Amino acid sequence: MKNVKITGHPLIQHKISLIRDVNTGSKDFRELVSEIAMLMCYEATHDLPLKEVELQTPLSIAKTKVISGRKVAFVPILRAGLAMVEGMVRLVPAAKIGHIGIFRDDKTKTAVDYYCKLPFDIAERDVIVADIMLATGSTAVKTINLLKEAGVGNIKIMCIIAAPEGLEAVAAAHPDIEIYCGAIDERLDDNLYIVPGLGDAGDRVFGTK
Ligand code: URA
């Protein structure tokens, strides 16, 4: 799929193996997710525009580059995506942060949004959506719908583990969106968990199980 970029860096791959391990507890899981998110964010921001500036070093004038143009916002999907934000903000401290809460209604099998708080100037920003797992893709598709309705033109998704079904759903609904993922797993099981995956990402971040 041409809109999917796999972040194959060895540090990312090693840390993904650690979070898959059932013996990794919440504290380590949270720290690793934050580190993975920081490394993935480095890759997802590779195309931020630069402009040349001149500044004074202790020795002379240097012609050098700084990030220019549009500003950035990060939008974690509640609740697991929250664990990714700290690492991302370490790389881009000026980024604003929006939050989107979506749950899946088991009866209607649809994604229902229950919370959406975005920066007032979101339409002027490039947005990176963060979630640990991209399973069916319904949450990601709904999130992109909300962001496009809010006027956002440049959206990327960052997920640590994706199922092929989720990648296909996002590509079908939003072919313009780039997805950065650390690993593509085999499939979804009957409960819509990613196999082999890492279990329930929210429970593992917050220690709720
Ligand atoms: N959400 C999770 O937390 N885990 C999965 O495997 C799928 C969706």
Side-chain angles (χ1 to χ4, degrees):
M1 254 178 283
K2 73 173 171 31
N3 63 336
V4 177
K5 319 266 179 221
I6 300 184
T7 51
H9 191 287
L11 287 172
I12 298 177
Q13 294 303 313
H14 182 82
K15 288 171 195 286
I16 290 176
S17 298
L18 297 178
I19 60 171
R20 285 187 190 275
D21 189 336
V22 68
N23 295 311
T24 299
S26 281
K27 174 181 174 291
D28 289 340
F29 190 92
R30 268 197 301 274
E31 287 172 7
L32 286 161
V33 164
S34 178
E35 289 167 10
I36 293 166
M38 182 168 72
L39 295 167
M40 289 182 71
C41 187
Y42 170 80
E43 302 212 8
T45 50
H46 72 97
D47 55 354
L48 283 177
L50 291 168
K51 69 176 177 201
E52 202 163 88
V53 294
E54 283 189 4
L55 53 74
Q56 178 76 51
T57 76
L59 297 182
S60 74
I61 299 286
K63 278 198 172 123
T64 186
K65 289 177 183 146
V66 294
I67 291 169
S68 75
R70 293 167 64 80
K71 292 174 276 184
V72 176
F74 299 139
V75 177
I77 302 179
L78 305 179
R79 66 187 162 138
L82 284 177
M84 298 171 73
V85 173
E86 192 210 335
M88 297 166 74
V89 167
R90 276 171 138 202
L91 274 196
V92 190
K96 287 193 177 173
I97 300 165
H99 293 89
I100 290 186
I102 295 178
F103 72 89
R104 195 168 171 281
D105 186 319
D106 284 335
K107 281 198 193 118
T108 61
K109 307 263 186 250
T110 53
V112 181
D113 53 302
Y114 64 90
Y115 188 76
C116 180
K117 185 80 183 169
L118 300 172
F120 74 93
D121 58 352
I122 191 83
E124 292 152 34
R125 290 176 180 264
D126 293 345
V127 172
I128 301 180
V129 173
D131 204 357
I132 296 180
M133 309 298 267
L134 180 70
T136 64
S138 58
T139 307
V141 168
K142 183 89 184 177
T143 299
I144 299 163
N145 290 345
L146 289 170
L147 290 170
K148 285 186 174 175
E149 281 162 22
V152 182
N154 186 354
I155 305 169
K156 291 177 183 170
I157 299 185
M158 243 175 64
C159 60
I160 297 179
I161 297 179
E165 295 90 329
L167 293 174
E168 274 158 27
V170 174
H174 296 290
D176 55 314
I177 300 295
E178 277 185 354
I179 307 169
Y180 286 78
C181 65
I184 302 176
D185 275 10
E186 283 164 29
R187 61 184 171 87
L188 297 175
D189 71 8
D190 293 343
N191 295 315
L192 303 179
Y193 278 91
I194 298 177
V195 181
L198 49 69
D200 187 303
D203 282 340
R204 296 204 58 193
V205 167
F206 295 107
T208 38
K209 216 174 220 170

